[in-house]
Amino acid sequence: EAGVAQSPRYKIIEKRQSVAFWCNPISGHATLYWYQQILGQGPKLLIQFQNNGVVDDSQLPKDRFSAERLKGVDSTLKIQPAKLEDSAVYLCASSSMTGRQETQYFGPGTRLLVL
Amino acid sequence: GESVGLHLPTLSVQEGDNSIINCAYSNSASDYFIWYKQESGKGPQFIIDIRSNMDKRQGQRVTVLLNKTVKHLSLQIAATQPGDSAVYFCAENMGYGQNFVFGPGTRLSVLP
């Protein structure tokens, strides 16, 4: 079974530029998550999708971050404009169910450095 | 704020010894816990989970202990190997419809 795929693996941008990350979850997984992991910390949830609908985006900085999952499969996370403090690893995870405490499977992450 | 863990400690153990990694959680409503292993440059990988109606669960070379009285979770790794070197996170879930909250993690270094 293929795992969660993410691209790019690394990205370096200057502040105020925009950037987009892509995620392809495990086939058949209805729930998709985006996490932000700052160096030395645990992952922090940004947004959760159930199919193509948003379940929880309470911790997403909506003035600069946006995410979509139009067809209920792949997802993109965008930052515009980026700030220095956005430097982090952005992890995508998927699970087969939501609300039933199903195990989340993580992708390798995208490492973002904002200069 | 974070309800699981407060800082990123480091644990160094000799190869072949047993490792114990600890995690404190503050929300007594949490009823499901997962331990994840994260190697450098990779995403977190599921190791073992436990529900609040249990106090111990064993896997292959790993055991998770849950003490609800003091809100403490531990991960025991038997016969620690070099490949066990990683950052270990505990994550708690507060029930149906809730998301997981991750702690800051513990770095495990296995010495030859």
Side-chain angles (χ1 to χ4, degrees), chain B residues 11-47:
Chain B
L11 175 67
S12 296
V13 298
Q14 291 292 139
E15 182 178 353
D17 287 352
N18 297 333
S19 303
I20 300 176
I21 300 171
N22 297 304
C23 176
Y25 65 96
S26 60
N27 196 319
S28 56
S30 295
D31 65 353
Y32 181 52
F33 305 86
I34 296 180
W35 278 102
Y36 283 93
K37 172 186 179 182
Q38 187 173 26
E39 297 175 276
S40 181
K42 298 182 179 180
Q45 177 187 6
F46 173 90
I47 301 174

Side-chain angles (χ1 to χ4, degrees), chain A residues 42-91:
Chain A
K44 184 187 81 171
L45 180 69
L46 291 175
I47 190 168
Q48 176 189 349
F49 291 94
Q50 171 76 2
N51 296 312
N52 61 351
V54 175
V55 174
D56 183 356
D57 64 355
S58 57
Q59 299 191 81
L60 187 74
K62 299 179 186 64
D63 58 332
R64 299 184 301 105
F65 286 65
S66 64
E68 59 183 16
R69 194 185 184 200
L70 295 176
K71 297 183 179 180
V73 181
D74 294 3
S75 176
T76 56
L77 175 69
K78 296 179 182 179
I79 307 175
Q80 183 179 13
K83 293 185 175 181
L84 297 178
E85 58 262 35
D86 298 332
S87 295
V89 176
Y90 290 85
L91 295 163

Side-chain angles (χ1 to χ4, degrees), chain A residues 6-26:
Chain A
Q6 290 187 248
S7 69
R9 292 297 311 278
Y10 306 92
K11 191 73 177 180
I12 300 174
I13 62 173
E14 294 186 347
K15 60 182 179 183
R16 291 186 289 274
Q17 287 187 324
S18 62
V19 64
F21 312 126
W22 173 83
C23 173
N24 181 242
I26 292 173

